[in-house]
Amino acid sequence: MSLITVERVPTREELIDRARELIPLLRRNAEQTEKESKVPDENMSALRDAGLLRLSTPRQWGGWELSMRHQVEVLCELGRGCPSTGWIAANHAASVDLVMLMPEAGLQEIYGDNPDTVMLSAASLDPALRADRVDGGLRVNGRFPYASGCELSDWAFLAWVPVYDNGEQTGVANMMAPPTDLRIEHTWKVAGLLGTGTHAMVAEGLFVPDRFVQFAPLKADGEAESPVPATVLIKGNLHSLSSLVGGARGALDVVREKLEEHKPLAFSTYSRAIDSLSVQQEFAEATHLIDTGMLHMLAVADGFDAVPEGEEATPAERARLRMHMVTSLERCREAMQRLLDLAGTSGFAQTNPVQRYWRDLEIGSRHTALNRPMIFEDYARSLLGIGAPVSLLF
């Protein structure tokens, strides 16, 4: 049994209010977050103090064990303040679901008396990645190129590592290790979501004890069995999506505030841009598009909440839910274009938060697990019954 004292679960409204109250802090620290390529300690402490690192953590380990709908509603508010901070909180919430696949003995050590321990998850296609069976565990070597929050997380969930015994592959494994046991390469030099610090981690002779290993043997045909249920993987994609939808809402907030300052509409007869019918329509369209993105996001959450605990969503349902995620992102990206038009050239000033929200959305929406063409293809195949999915994450 857990040694953690179980507290009263805050209500949905309480948690959303706590997240919303952090928006001014997250916005104030957004520039620092980006410059340092890391969510500041102040932000992480605020998340911890507000209980927002416990959204997906089971009650047994001191968490709130919320429905997916309630989780994404909270994470969306965090993304509204700072998409990078929201992404880290979302990555953590998704990673907790993966961590729960570990042996009980490992979970006891991972959580101890700390329900706020911060998780990340990372996978790799590095052909050199391998874990060799040794006494008491595995010896791991290889590179994990994208590890969000690797410099601030307590534990890393390392996924789908090929396992060898006496030189022959016997299966694949998920495992847990502190990021401090791996070498960090500062590789995250991109246009957006800079504050996520999604750097590379390199395992060099990393020893992972058996209590932190979930092993899946090779199938009879020699192929590796996925040690993670597909439904769990796709739920993790929804966590990430929620922070991006929040970012679109954050940009909407900033543009509205500028309009309410009654700035003039340049090269027009309007002394206040807000009085222009075309400006009003553009703002209304942006708002409606983001609301539509929210509705698609919540529909996906409700779809997952409808799946009985411990069961898998059907392949057809998974394809449908992923399609809704794509549509949510598309509506938010369309809205962002309208918001940039309203913000004008000044919206691209480095001091203007609108351009940061825009860059974060553009980068995050192109995450491989939210890949629009591939998800469309899988959805079409599912509808027409013409073959297996093309996505390995399916």
Side-chain angles (χ1 to χ4, degrees):
M1 292 294 293
S2 169
L3 301 178
I4 296 173
T5 302
V6 178
E7 303 177 25
R8 178 187 70 85
V9 178
T11 65
R12 165 187 175 273
E13 291 74 17
E14 286 173 332
L15 289 170
I16 291 176
D17 285 345
R18 293 180 193 181
R20 194 168 289 152
E21 288 168 2
L22 293 183
I23 289 176
L25 168 69
L26 303 185
R27 287 181 177 164
R28 189 165 62 247
N29 288 342
E31 186 174 353
Q32 175 190 351
T33 302
E34 188 164 69
K35 285 183 177 178
E36 296 180 356
S37 192
K38 178 184 176 183
V39 173
D41 291 342
E42 185 179 19
N43 289 17
M44 295 303 297
S45 295
L47 294 178
R48 188 174 293 106
D49 293 344
L52 302 182
L53 296 176
R54 305 186 188 186
L55 304 181
S56 60
T57 305
R59 295 287 287 149
Q60 177 186 1
W61 305 108
W64 310 141
E65 202 171 334
L66 302 182
S67 68
M68 281 300 295
R69 172 177 270 258
H70 292 172
Q71 288 184 51
V72 299
E73 286 178 321
V74 173
L75 293 168
C76 193
E77 291 297 327
L78 296 178
R80 189 175 182 176
C82 169
S84 284
T85 301
W87 184 275
I88 290 299
N91 185 269
H92 161 73
S95 297
V96 168
D97 286 342
L98 299 172
V99 171
M100 288 304 124
L101 300 171
M102 288 293 119
E104 180 84 7
L107 292 176
Q108 287 282 1
E109 188 170 334
I110 288 167
Y111 279 98
D113 59 356
N114 180 17
D116 299 305
T117 187
V118 180
M119 311 294 185
L120 72 84
S121 49
S124 175
L125 296 177
D126 176 8
L129 176 67
R130 62 183 290 154
D132 289 283
R133 178 66 63 184
V134 295
D135 288 343
L138 299 172
R139 187 75 65 185
V140 185
N141 289 279
R143 189 170 184 270
F144 298 85
Y146 302 107
S148 295
C150 57
E151 294 187 299
L152 53 81
S153 298
D154 300 304
W155 289 88
F157 178 92
L158 307 177
W160 299 290
V161 180
V163 176
Y164 291 80
D165 197 347
N166 294 321
E168 179 180 352
Q169 185 176 358
T170 57
V172 293
N174 297 324
M175 57 195 69
M176 299 293 297
T180 50
D181 288 354
L182 292 93
R183 178 167 57 84
I184 307 298
E185 294 180 347
H186 290 87
T187 53
W188 189 239
K189 304 181 188 300
V190 293
L193 287 180
L194 279 165
T196 63
T198 307
H199 303 300
M201 300 189 304
V202 183
E204 298 169 318
L206 171 70
F207 175 70
V208 180
D210 284 330
R211 65 184 179 278
F212 297 134
V213 174
Q214 178 208 11
F215 176 74
L218 294 181
K219 295 183 290 185
D221 60 5
E223 292 296 317
E225 179 95 45
S226 172
V228 178
T231 302
V232 174
L233 284 177
I234 302 173
K235 284 172 68 175
N237 305 158
L238 177 61
H239 284 104
S240 299
L241 170 70
S242 64
S243 64
L244 301 175
V245 175
R249 294 178 66 200
L252 184 72
D253 292 340
V254 174
V255 170
R256 178 174 186 144
E257 289 167 5
K258 286 295 181 183
L259 290 175
E260 290 176 342
E261 289 176 3
H262 297 159
K263 69 172 186 175
L265 186 59
F267 299 104
S268 79
T269 59
Y270 288 103
S271 60
R272 304 192 323 165
I274 200 171
D275 294 330
S276 164
L277 291 178
S278 60
V279 168
Q280 293 167 15
Q281 179 176 342
E282 196 85 345
F283 185 81
E285 288 180 356
T287 302
H288 179 66
L289 285 165
I290 293 171
D291 284 347
T292 303
M294 283 282 295
L295 290 172
H296 282 278
M297 178 188 77
L298 293 174
V300 179
D302 291 341
F304 283 127
D305 286 335
V307 178
E309 186 176 356
E311 295 186 17
E312 279 271 44
T314 65
E317 179 67 358
R318 296 199 298 267
R320 187 184 73 85
L321 294 177
R322 294 185 84 199
M323 193 65 238
H324 275 296
M325 285 193 254
V326 164
T327 303
S328 176
L329 281 175
E330 287 185 330
R331 298 296 84 82
C332 287
R333 285 169 60 175
E334 290 171 16
M336 188 67 77
Q337 293 305 308
R338 286 167 169 77
L339 295 175
L340 290 169
D341 288 342
L342 289 172
T345 305
S346 64
F348 293 90
Q350 292 183 349
T351 55
N352 193 318
V354 171
Q355 54 81 29
R356 185 181 303 113
Y357 283 116
W358 166 60
R359 289 185 288 108
D360 289 348
L361 177 59
E362 289 297 318
I363 295 296
S365 63
R366 287 169 171 80
H367 188 282
T368 185
L370 299 170
N371 182 292
R372 179 185 182 277
M374 191 178 297
I375 290 173
F376 255 105
E377 185 172 347
D378 280 341
Y379 183 55
R381 285 169 174 261
S382 172
L383 290 175
L384 298 171
I386 56 173
V390 297
S391 172
L392 296 178
L393 299 177
F394 194 86

